[in-house]
Amino acid sequence: GRSRKITHRPWAGLALALAGRCFNENGQERLSIVTRLSDAFDEEHNPSYRSSYAIGLGLLNATSAGPKLLKVMRNEKEPSLRGYCAVALGMLCHRDARDALREMVIDDTNPTLRLQVATALGLMSDTEVVRTLVDGLRHAKTLSVVSSIAKALGLIGDRSAIEPLQDIIRNPKEPG
């Protein structure tokens, strides 16, 4: 049943997702949990609650939710919800989200969102974006942008970034 305290619902959703991982991926119990979390994601208006349902869907590997999560990530204004949808898409390895995620990781307006997007790309083992991020690091103008790009590269964890990063460190003309 529904929790009487609305603030308990997102936690209940995450707990249900974790419990649901014990069931066979194609089993009726797990599919039932996916349906409930997916419905909760659709019906909820609070962005932080929707975020928890998105992560729950990612934990359950609910590939059927991929298109919905991608649409919310692209269209919502709330950066936190967009970021958690990105992470969930990364958990799902939702390939249709790659281009949108690659575009978003370049945007330096929200360092937290950038890290969530980089986490998604890291979960997808997307190393193609490394070159773009290293290039962005070379042109970064503020320490917060440098920091968020460096963290993003660390999250993706591709060895091809090591040499360009060493070059940047050794070059005194590069930003701090």
Side-chain angles (χ1 to χ4, degrees):
R2 290 185 94 84
S3 172
R4 289 192 182 141
K5 283 207 168 218
I6 194 165
T7 56
H8 292 173
R9 283 206 305 250
W11 293 108
L14 283 172
L16 191 59
L18 289 171
R21 290 171 55 95
C22 298
F23 295 113
N24 181 310
E25 195 154 337
N26 297 315
Q28 191 54 48
E29 299 92 349
R30 189 159 173 166
L31 294 175
S32 175
I33 293 170
V34 166
T35 300
R36 290 193 76 158
L37 279 180
S38 185
D39 290 348
F41 180 83
D42 291 341
E43 294 166 9
E44 184 59 61
H45 297 290
N46 181 314
S48 81
Y49 294 6
R50 289 186 88 193
S51 296
S52 71
Y53 301 138
I55 294 298
L57 290 166
L59 287 168
L60 286 166
N61 196 31
T63 54
S64 60
K68 171 191 340 204
L69 292 167
L70 177 57
K71 184 178 178 185
V72 170
M73 183 190 75
R74 282 185 168 148
N75 299 328
E76 282 293 321
K77 291 189 180 3
E78 173 59 43
S80 178
L81 175 56
R82 294 178 72 209
Y84 284 111
C85 284
V87 171
L89 287 163
M91 292 170 152
L92 299 174
C93 290
H94 189 71
R95 298 205 182 283
D96 291 348
R98 271 206 173 126
D99 290 340
L101 290 166
R102 287 175 182 162
E103 287 173 26
M104 288 171 67
V105 82
I106 296 165
D107 185 359
D108 63 11
T109 54
N110 187 319
T112 303
L113 179 57
R114 172 185 262 161
L115 287 177
Q116 290 172 305
V117 170
T119 299
L121 290 166
L123 288 165
M124 291 180 166
S125 302
D126 182 1
T127 55
E128 287 182 36
V129 76
V130 169
R131 200 173 313 115
T132 305
L133 287 171
V134 169
D135 191 48
L137 195 56
R138 287 197 170 106
H139 298 98
K141 299 204 179 354
T142 68
L143 190 56
S144 71
V145 172
V146 169
S147 174
S148 75
I149 293 175
K151 287 178 186 172
L153 285 167
L155 286 168
I156 293 169
D158 182 46
R159 290 183 175 277
S160 70
I162 294 173
E163 198 172 317
L165 287 171
Q166 287 175 332
D167 292 343
I168 290 169
I169 290 169
R170 290 183 191 124
N171 186 344
K173 293 179 183 164
E174 295 292 348

